Amino acid sequence: MAEVKKIATRDSYGNALKALADEGADKLVVVDADLASATKTGIFKAAYPDRHFNCGIAEDNLIGTAAGLSTMGLIPFASSFAMFAAGRAFEQVRNSIGYPHLNVKIGATHAGISAGEDGASHQCCEDFALMRSIPGMVVICPSDDVEAKAVVKAAYEYVGPVYMRFGRPAVEVFHEDGYQFEIGKGEVLREGKDITIIATGLMVQEAIEAGKQLEAKGIDAEIINMATIKPLDTELVLASAKKTGKVVTVEEHSVIGGLGSAVCDALSAKNPVPVLKIGVQDVFGESGPAEEILHKFGLDAEGITASVKAWL
């Protein structure tokens, strides 16, 4: 049996930036907040040191610098931990990037409770909600290495602000090379008739495994990978909900304001059906190994399966 390849999407982010520059993306520059090793933009820095700028531990200035670079015709990727890029620098993102609708890309890593031992202060479970609230901001959370690289390329080609969330833990690569990602489009990974499970980021693979466990219990689940949280693929959400009549959303984020809220907004307007939102239930995270924390919060396949069974 072939060995399962696991890669953290933050690694994919760093590799994708370098690959884009190698392919001739001469407008691409990277600004970081003294975290190039952790965010993996150090991969780009090693190859293109004159196009990588360290702003120090000053995320507000990081965003302002990225905004300024974009007005010069460059395409900056501003990188830091999600807690700092989306949380600490929210005002700057809103007023310096969102309001003038500048062509800045934000690469946020170490989001969600899977940041593990970093603890609650660094486990940002509010970034989707914050970034969704900014008019014109695209919000994307890829699920594996192949999709993450495709997301970075799509963000570079898109004209306007983009927020991308990348994970710390290594995750299984399940997309085939050549996978085509499109901003605003979801992906049906498994057809089903009894229930729809819509997941994003790290939770996609847990949802896939949960689908197998539910199938063994006689529940036929449709599994959807929703990498783009804004703009949401409303057409796919409505079509799947119409088919199954019940929807579950799964995200490594607060159940307030994230993927689940976006899905509920879409369904309530056109096709109201029962929805179960699986995520962080209005609490802060805890410090510990990522796998153990995810299990405690019910955000692994076992927890998802149990929640869906109890709900049904």
Side-chain angles (χ1 to χ4, degrees), residues 37 59 106 155 185 199 300:
S37 177
E59 290 80 12
I106 301 172
K185 294 296 182 182
D300 57 4

Side-chain angles (χ1 to χ4, degrees), residues 257-278:
L259 172 66
S261 295
V263 168
C264 285
D265 287 348
L267 291 173
S268 64
K270 294 288 183 67
N271 183 35
V273 299
V275 177
L276 171 66
K277 295 196 287 185
I278 297 177

Side-chain angles (χ1 to χ4, degrees), residues 13 27-33 51-55 58-80 85 89 92-93 95-98 100-107 137 160-162:
Y13 174 53
K27 294 182 179 180
L28 190 158
V29 293
V30 175
V31 287
D32 209 297
R51 292 163 62 180
H52 182 283
F53 306 96
N54 181 9
C55 294
E59 290 80 12
D60 298 347
N61 290 339
L62 169 83
I63 296 302
T65 299
L69 289 168
S70 73
T71 65
M72 299 167 60
L74 298 171
I75 302 178
F77 282 70
S79 308
S80 186
Q92 283 69 31
V93 174
N95 289 337
S96 297
I97 294 175
H101 200 72
L102 295 182
N103 195 27
V104 176
K105 322 303 171 182
I106 301 172
M137 178 69 74
V162 179

Side-chain angles (χ1 to χ4, degrees), residues 138-163:
V138 172
V139 182
I140 311 176
C141 182
S143 58
D144 73 352
D145 173 69
V146 172
E147 185 167 57
K149 290 176 179 175
V151 162
V152 175
K153 186 174 189 295
Y156 178 79
E157 294 172 348
Y158 175 83
V159 179
V162 179
Y163 177 85

Side-chain angles (χ1 to χ4, degrees), residues 27-193:
K27 294 182 179 180
L28 190 158
V29 293
V30 175
V31 287
D32 209 297
D34 209 31
L35 288 169
S37 177
T39 63
K40 300 303 180 180
T41 64
I43 298 170
F44 177 89
K45 179 181 180 180
Y48 299 94
D50 58 333
R51 292 163 62 180
H52 182 283
F53 306 96
N54 181 9
C55 294
I57 307 173
E59 290 80 12
D60 298 347
N61 290 339
L62 169 83
I63 296 302
T65 299
L69 289 168
S70 73
T71 65
M72 299 167 60
L74 298 171
I75 302 178
F77 282 70
S79 308
S80 186
F81 288 5
M83 189 65 252
F84 308 137
R88 178 177 294 166
F90 176 77
E91 180 192 346
Q92 283 69 31
V93 174
R94 177 191 184 274
N95 289 337
S96 297
I97 294 175
Y99 181 48
H101 200 72
L102 295 182
N103 195 27
V104 176
K105 322 303 171 182
I106 301 172
T109 67
H110 294 67
I113 56 176
S114 63
E117 291 85 352
D118 288 351
S121 63
H122 286 50
Q123 295 167 349
C124 186
C125 295
E126 306 85 15
D127 54 328
F128 293 163
L130 289 166
M131 293 298 105
R132 280 184 65 227
S133 71
I134 297 177
M137 178 69 74
V138 172
V139 182
I140 311 176
C141 182
S143 58
D144 73 352
D145 173 69
V146 172
E147 185 167 57
K149 290 176 179 175
V151 162
V152 175
K153 186 174 189 295
Y156 178 79
E157 294 172 348
Y158 175 83
V159 179
V162 179
Y163 177 85
M164 299 166 288
R165 180 204 257 207
F166 303 102
R168 179 185 186 183
V171 292
E172 182 178 337
V173 180
F174 65 93
H175 282 106
E176 299 289 337
D177 288 337
Y179 161 70
Q180 297 297 310
F181 169 80
E182 183 179 348
I183 292 175
K185 294 296 182 182
E187 174 191 20
V188 178
L189 299 174
R190 183 186 187 277
E191 299 279 354
K193 66 180 187 302

